[in-house]
Amino acid sequence: MNKPLSITPLSEWGFQFNSPLKMAGPCSAETEEQVHETAKRLAPYNIDILRAGIWKPRTRPNSFEGVGSVGLKWLKDAGYDNNIPTAVEVANVKHVYEALRAGIDILWIGARTTVNPFAVQEICDALQGVDIPVLVKNPINPDLELWIGAFERLNNSGITKIAAIHRGFSTHETTKYRNIPRWNIPIELKRRYPELPIICDPSHICGNRELLREVAQTALDIGFEGIHLESHINPDKALSDAKQQVVPEVYGEIMASLVVRENIDQHQEAEDQLDAMRAQIDSLDKYLLEIMSQRMDIVREIGFYKLANNLAIVQPSRWNEIIETRRDMCARKNLSPKFVAELFHAIHKESIHHQTEVMQLEEKKLLEEKEKGTTSQE
């Protein structure tokens, strides 16, 4: 059972945010001129939050790790000059105190910090009694409970102006993304906490400029409340994450090209039409579950047969046959091979579970009967 979160709506944060919310700025504050020029060139695109990394958590110690506290004044002044609220990442208590002292408007907790409950708790303790919005990036690993835990810790410290930032998840796989989106995870977060705003960070998901618009549009299609993109006046010369940053003018082009989906609550006719189609889906889902139950009944019968004939549960040749034939079937059914493969891997896993359970129960019965026989002989 999920613990309820106390969440203040974006409209009550004390800022005039757009819908969707627009968060932009350089990956890192590098010079005072760079921060001010970036803010000035982003301002015409009505961004809601000006962001810049002040302290950069880098993998290797010889990388650029940010300019430090001196950059806070650059950012705050740039925000003030252009009437834009400011945000920085905080990874420890010192960062929190420095950011608050500089008058930064919004804090965010980065992915490498979210993954560490001890660090998150120290930040939350430092924020006791402080009324400031805090954005939380997903942990680097795909752990939804860890992400939710950070929101709960913030709530326990009295912070209710909270939002999630989806920046993708690290993987050992080679993909077109720097961090794979795993959209199912933020979607599940939204299912559990529909009132929690989610801002998508295509810059860190993509790791390149080419896919930014595609990922941003997907986020809006899903129903996210905001888009975060990194922008730099000279991206190719940026001291960190150069490939994923765009000049302010390209930022404006990307944001202007996005299509914002409307809330269905405002369209009763659409709601009625969808309800009719959803009723069909509900009926088909019921049928699917009935068919799946029948399939597992046969799976269990096979389990009993394998037990009686001392056969292994997993038969590789049969599993290969299923994979190949089902892949051929999907080509004629308007289903993607990837979906069908994942579906049958899940079915196969459940089938193994059922047959394992059959064998374990039967072996338990045999042991109990054997023990009874031994006892009666005694």
Side-chain angles (χ1 to χ4, degrees):
M1 185 70 179
N2 293 312
K3 178 183 177 182
L5 291 175
S6 178
I7 300 171
T8 300
L10 286 173
S11 59
E12 299 176 20
W13 281 20
F15 308 108
Q16 295 296 317
F17 288 150
N18 291 291
S19 181
L21 181 149
K22 301 175 182 177
M23 183 173 176
C27 175
S28 301
E30 299 168 359
T31 67
E32 185 172 7
E33 179 186 8
Q34 170 241 4
V35 173
H36 279 264
E37 181 66 16
T38 303
K40 180 181 177 181
R41 287 166 58 181
L42 282 171
Y45 304 111
N46 298 315
I47 68 169
D48 299 292
I49 302 173
L50 177 65
R51 59 89 69 206
I54 301 299
W55 305 278
K56 300 298 297 181
R58 313 308 294 174
T59 302
R60 304 292 291 273
N62 295 324
S63 302
F64 175 66
E65 296 183 302
V67 295
S69 301
V70 65
L72 292 169
K73 186 177 187 307
W74 306 343
L75 180 64
K76 185 62 182 178
D77 288 348
Y80 179 82
D81 290 346
N82 294 280
N83 195 30
I84 308 170
T86 54
V88 299
E89 177 179 354
V90 292
N92 57 42
V93 173
K94 177 182 180 295
H95 295 170
V96 172
Y97 291 151
E98 292 286 337
L100 294 178
R101 186 167 62 181
I104 297 300
D105 303 289
I106 298 169
L107 308 180
W108 86 79
I109 298 175
R112 300 185 192 214
T113 305
T114 307
V115 78
N116 184 346
F118 294 113
V120 173
Q121 187 59 56
E122 288 180 358
I123 291 171
C124 292
D125 291 342
L127 290 172
Q128 285 276 0
V130 179
D131 181 21
I132 190 169
V134 181
L135 316 176
V136 183
K137 289 198 175 186
N138 60 258
I140 55 177
N141 53 310
D143 189 335
L144 177 58
E145 303 307 321
L146 201 56
W147 200 2
I148 292 172
F151 296 116
E152 292 176 338
R153 292 175 188 277
L154 285 165
N155 259 189
N156 291 342
S157 295
I159 302 293
T160 62
K161 295 175 182 176
I162 55 177
I165 299 182
H166 170 230
R167 48 84 76 192
F169 303 89
S170 295
T171 178
H172 65 280
E173 304 170 33
T174 300
T175 75
K176 63 180 182 179
Y177 302 109
R178 175 182 176 184
N179 295 292
I180 54 178
R182 293 191 186 274
W183 296 106
N184 60 300
I185 294 178
I187 288 173
E188 175 61 14
L189 177 64
K190 193 61 153 177
R191 184 191 71 81
R192 297 195 200 181
Y193 303 101
E195 69 280 16
L196 179 68
I198 303 182
I199 300 166
C200 185
D201 177 0
S203 299
H204 282 88
I205 289 175
C206 300
N208 61 65
R209 299 169 193 138
E210 291 72 26
L211 297 173
L212 292 176
R213 189 201 175 279
E214 173 189 316
V215 170
Q217 186 61 62
T218 298
L220 294 183
D221 292 344
I222 292 171
F224 285 11
E225 284 79 4
I227 300 296
H228 164 279
L229 289 176
E230 292 185 341
S231 179
H232 192 290
I233 55 174
N234 190 354
D236 292 333
K237 297 292 180 65
L239 298 182
S240 60
D241 292 346
K243 294 181 180 180
Q244 66 193 39
Q245 300 188 69
V246 294
V247 295
E249 293 71 26
V250 171
Y251 166 84
E253 292 173 4
I254 292 173
M255 295 304 296
S257 71
L258 298 176
V259 179
V260 181
R261 307 303 178 185
E262 297 182 12
N263 193 320
I264 197 169
D265 294 340
Q266 302 169 359
H267 297 271
Q268 187 58 52
E269 182 180 348
E271 184 71 42
D272 294 340
Q273 289 291 327
L274 286 172
D275 282 346
M277 289 184 279
R278 287 165 177 165
Q280 296 179 50
I281 287 178
D282 291 343
S283 178
L284 288 170
D285 283 349
K286 181 180 178 182
Y287 179 63
L288 277 173
L289 291 174
E290 290 174 353
I291 291 294
M292 195 59 64
S293 177
Q294 293 176 29
R295 191 186 194 282
M296 291 305 158
D297 287 342
I298 298 173
V299 164
R300 293 181 75 86
E301 288 183 25
I302 292 174
F304 282 112
Y305 183 86
K306 288 177 179 176
L307 177 64
N309 291 273
N310 197 32
L311 298 173
I313 291 175
V314 178
Q315 300 291 323
S317 59
R318 170 59 178 165
W319 176 227
N320 284 333
E321 179 189 346
I322 289 176
I323 290 296
E324 293 299 326
T325 57
R326 277 41 169 188
R327 186 184 295 123
D328 292 339
M329 291 177 188
C330 80
R332 303 188 298 273
K333 301 294 183 183
N334 198 29
L335 298 171
S336 71
K338 182 176 184 293
F339 166 73
V340 171
E342 291 175 350
L343 172 63
F344 277 93
H345 272 89
I347 292 173
H348 189 238
K349 182 178 178 181
E350 182 69 6
S351 299
I352 291 172
H353 168 73
H354 278 271
Q355 292 190 6
T356 300
E357 189 176 64
V358 164
M359 290 195 175
Q360 289 176 343
L361 288 174
E362 289 302 307
E363 288 174 357
K364 184 178 179 181
K365 288 180 184 178
L366 289 172
L367 285 173
E368 289 175 351
E369 290 174 2
K370 186 176 180 180
E371 288 175 358
K372 285 181 182 178
T374 303
T375 304
S376 62
Q377 289 175 8
E378 292 176 350

